[in-house]
Amino acid sequence: MELSFGSWLRRHKRHQEARPHLRNAERYFDRLDAPAWRDRAHAELRAAGESGPTANSADGALTAQELRIARLAAAGRSNREIASRSG
């Protein structure tokens, strides 16, 4: 319901009103372990102008894999090198 209503609000250029509904939908689908629906809610949220962290990292913290990748990138590794090490 939140995703549908938030999407409707966004399509009608009511972005600010849509964001709380889309955030709730994203959190809800994350708790249900429904990644496809969570990703859809996240895409709608970004289309509504939100650019903050995803539901997976609501506090802004990186996951273990994201942290490994960030460290490799900071060490100057190429995308190819990072991909071969983070799989």
Side-chain angles (χ1 to χ4, degrees):
M1 181 87 172
E2 295 271 16
L3 177 58
S4 295
F5 186 53
S7 297
W8 182 87
L9 287 168
R10 184 194 62 78
R11 284 191 311 273
H12 287 85
K13 309 281 190 239
R14 295 166 63 181
H15 297 149
Q16 204 165 25
E17 292 174 71
R19 289 183 201 127
H21 297 284
L22 296 170
R23 274 188 225 107
N24 287 339
E26 186 182 27
R27 284 191 295 266
Y28 179 73
F29 291 128
D30 188 54
R31 283 190 301 252
L32 288 176
D33 195 27
W37 286 99
R38 182 201 59 227
D39 293 347
R40 182 174 172 192
H42 183 71
E44 286 284 339
L45 194 52
R46 289 188 57 105
E50 182 101 348
S51 62
T54 65
N56 286 339
S57 58
D59 61 356
L62 297 176
T63 66
Q65 184 168 358
E66 290 170 333
L67 186 56
R68 277 193 305 276
I69 291 169
R71 285 182 176 150
L72 289 169
R77 302 287 189 243
S78 70
N79 286 345
R80 187 174 299 216
E81 290 171 320
I82 292 170
S84 70
R85 292 181 182 205
S86 62

